[in-house]
Amino acid sequence: MADAAALVSDRLDQLLDELDPATADPVELRGRQYDLGLAWVHFPEGWGGLGVPPSHQRQVDQRLHGAGARPPVSREFFGLTLAAPTVVTFGDDALKTRLLRRMFTGEDAWCQLFSEPGAGSDLAGLSTRAVRDGDEWVVSGQKVWNTLAHVADRGMLVTRTDPEAPKHKGLTYFALDMHAPGVEVRPLRQITGEAEFNEVYMTDVRVPDADRIGDVGEGWRVAMTTLMNERTTIGGGSGPPARGSGAIAEALRIWSEEGPDRGPVSRDTLMRSWVDAEVLRLTNARASQNRKAGNPGPEGSIAKLMFAEVNMRIYELCVDLLGADALDGYDYEMRRAEQLGLVGPPGSARKMFLRSRANSIEGGTSEIQRNILGERVLGLPGDVRVDKDVPWSQVPRS
């Protein structure tokens, strides 16, 4: 792909001639990056991309980072990795024009509004209603486990628009204005003491039909694009981390600097954990290189499942290595977190041991990932589903 590499290089030259990433306003810099097709290089031209393979994004990121550009912050994560591929795949031209550039510049932060108290792993059973009223939809319902919704400007919202259709068929997807009248965000305090997650209540919220993503009744198909990108990103598929980084780096630091004396059993556990972390990192590197298009397939479930398993084991090892010291040094103070909590900085093992419990739930439970792998990757028979063709209104619910 010499031509693609040359095109990306030429656009980078133009960007760096116009602006100095180390001193330019980040919104201005990233706006120009978007206009030159360097936001998501695999997206179509005119929508932040150049229509070249996604592997060339690393060329962009490395050069801009080397020139002093700041990396994205946590509040931008959901827009850059989940909303963007969903909008570019299913949004009409007017919607892409309104949403994508602001998403990339960080002017609009996004959150995900999927799960409900009665529809978690069975997402298609959701009950948040959207009723058409002319050029608007009136939305009422409750969502839960909405990460960073308290700092979001937009939400990826899946609603039920046809209760008489089977549960997978009657859904519609919207880009919700989180500042609209009738939207209320309430904190959910976690075991760490923080409130990274939220509940979102919608009471007669008016959503313009112009903010609909995809066709009416196609919300399940649209949501699958979001979820596949989520699983790949949580697993590390947005780009492999450096060798020995992340949770295993904290375990190695504790081994060298903190805690009581250890024996050969602890050493063996540490080495096995390091191998697991490295295998996961290399698996993600291979998957990243093999991706031919912007939207991943079910293989993202492999990385997501293993990330949850490995991350929890490593942080459990960390507190084991700390011994009794693991019981001290964390205050459990109520905080409104503005950072994602998948991994933590050095010294955060006490918190991350608690936070990592969520890894097997968020982004699709480990049980759901195993079902996906069994059915879609291995071709095993699916679970018996007695409500697949039954209208949602007739499906028993607790």
Side-chain angles (χ1 to χ4, degrees):
M1 285 290 182
D3 291 343
L7 174 61
V8 171
S9 182
D10 287 345
R11 295 293 178 90
L12 280 167
D13 289 342
Q14 184 178 344
L15 176 61
L16 295 175
D17 284 343
E18 295 177 10
L19 296 167
D20 179 1
T23 59
D25 175 73
V27 173
E28 180 185 7
L29 175 68
R30 294 175 71 179
R32 190 65 185 128
Q33 182 180 347
Y34 177 93
D35 296 338
L36 289 170
L38 300 174
W40 303 277
V41 296
H42 57 287
F43 281 14
E45 291 189 62
W47 311 118
L50 297 170
V52 301
S55 57
H56 291 282
Q57 193 66 50
R58 180 173 295 185
Q59 179 183 349
V60 175
D61 296 341
Q62 288 178 342
R63 190 163 171 192
L64 291 180
H65 177 74
R70 73 158 178 84
V73 297
S74 283
R75 70 185 298 270
E76 300 165 1
F77 171 85
F78 291 101
L80 296 176
T81 61
L82 308 187
T86 305
V87 170
V88 82
T89 302
F90 293 99
D92 58 30
D93 287 355
L95 193 68
K96 287 185 282 190
T97 299
R98 285 195 292 116
L99 298 183
L100 283 174
R101 193 177 191 274
R102 292 181 60 85
M103 194 184 298
F104 185 73
T105 62
E107 293 172 272
D108 285 343
W110 285 66
C111 67
Q112 191 176 357
L113 304 174
F114 280 27
S115 294
E116 298 181 6
S121 295
D122 182 20
L123 176 62
L126 63 87
S127 60
T128 293
R129 292 285 302 274
V131 179
R132 187 85 181 241
D133 183 16
D135 291 332
E136 294 181 319
W137 296 81
V138 181
V139 177
S140 294
Q142 178 188 358
K143 298 293 182 175
V144 73
W145 309 121
N146 312 119
T147 308
L148 300 185
H150 56 288
V151 297
D153 303 294
R154 289 274 184 176
M156 295 167 270
L157 173 66
V158 185
T159 67
R160 185 161 305 282
T161 49
D162 185 359
E164 300 309 317
K167 62 182 184 179
H168 291 83
K169 301 293 186 181
L171 305 177
T172 303
Y173 196 120
F174 297 95
L176 176 69
D177 179 359
M178 294 295 291
H179 306 296
V183 178
E184 180 186 2
V185 180
R186 302 181 189 174
L188 279 176
R189 192 173 185 184
Q190 299 150 231
I191 192 174
T192 61
E194 293 183 330
E196 177 187 344
F197 301 131
N198 302 271
E199 295 175 288
V200 176
Y201 292 83
M202 293 155 286
T203 306
D204 295 332
V205 180
R206 290 195 165 267
V207 180
D209 186 60
D211 286 349
R212 173 169 45 82
I213 303 176
D215 294 335
V216 175
E218 289 295 314
W220 181 256
R221 189 160 64 99
V222 181
M224 287 303 99
T225 295
T226 306
L227 290 174
M228 286 189 294
N229 280 280
E230 179 183 32
R231 290 159 186 166
T232 300
T233 303
I234 289 177
S238 58
R243 186 180 189 186
S245 63
I248 195 63
E250 175 70 350
L252 292 169
R253 186 194 67 80
I254 293 171
W255 179 272
S256 301
E257 302 175 10
E258 297 188 47
D261 294 336
R262 300 124 182 142
V265 174
S266 294
R267 181 183 295 273
D268 181 70
T269 303
L270 178 66
M271 287 305 303
R272 288 176 182 273
S273 297
W274 193 93
V275 170
D276 288 343
E278 180 65 5
V279 169
L280 177 61
R281 188 186 73 86
L282 293 174
T283 298
N284 281 318
R286 184 175 66 247
S288 178
Q289 292 170 355
N290 288 339
R291 280 174 58 185
K292 303 297 184 183
N295 291 330
E299 68 275 4
S301 294
I302 299 173
K304 197 279 174 184
L305 173 63
M306 290 312 301
F307 169 80
E309 302 280 335
V310 171
N311 208 45
M312 286 193 290
R313 283 203 301 268
I314 292 176
Y315 280 119
E316 184 171 346
L317 170 64
C318 286
V319 296
D320 286 345
L321 293 176
L322 287 169
D325 288 343
L327 302 175
D328 190 25
Y330 186 68
D331 60 16
Y332 300 95
E333 181 182 342
M334 167 62 169
R335 303 177 181 89
R336 291 298 269 143
E338 296 192 7
Q339 302 291 326
L340 294 174
L342 299 179
V343 293
S348 63
R350 295 163 180 83
K351 170 190 170 182
M352 292 309 303
F353 168 71
L354 301 173
R355 174 59 181 82
S356 65
R357 301 300 97 185
N359 294 162
S360 62
I361 302 172
E362 57 196 340
T365 66
S366 292
E367 291 76 14
I368 291 294
Q369 306 313 317
R370 291 186 175 95
N371 273 5
I372 291 171
L373 295 174
E375 295 175 19
R376 302 185 193 176
V377 178
L378 300 178
L380 300 176
D383 286 343
V384 175
R385 296 176 173 89
V386 298
D387 59 359
K388 190 173 182 180
D389 299 316
V390 178
W392 177 84
S393 62
Q394 299 178 21
V395 176
R397 287 178 291 280
S398 58

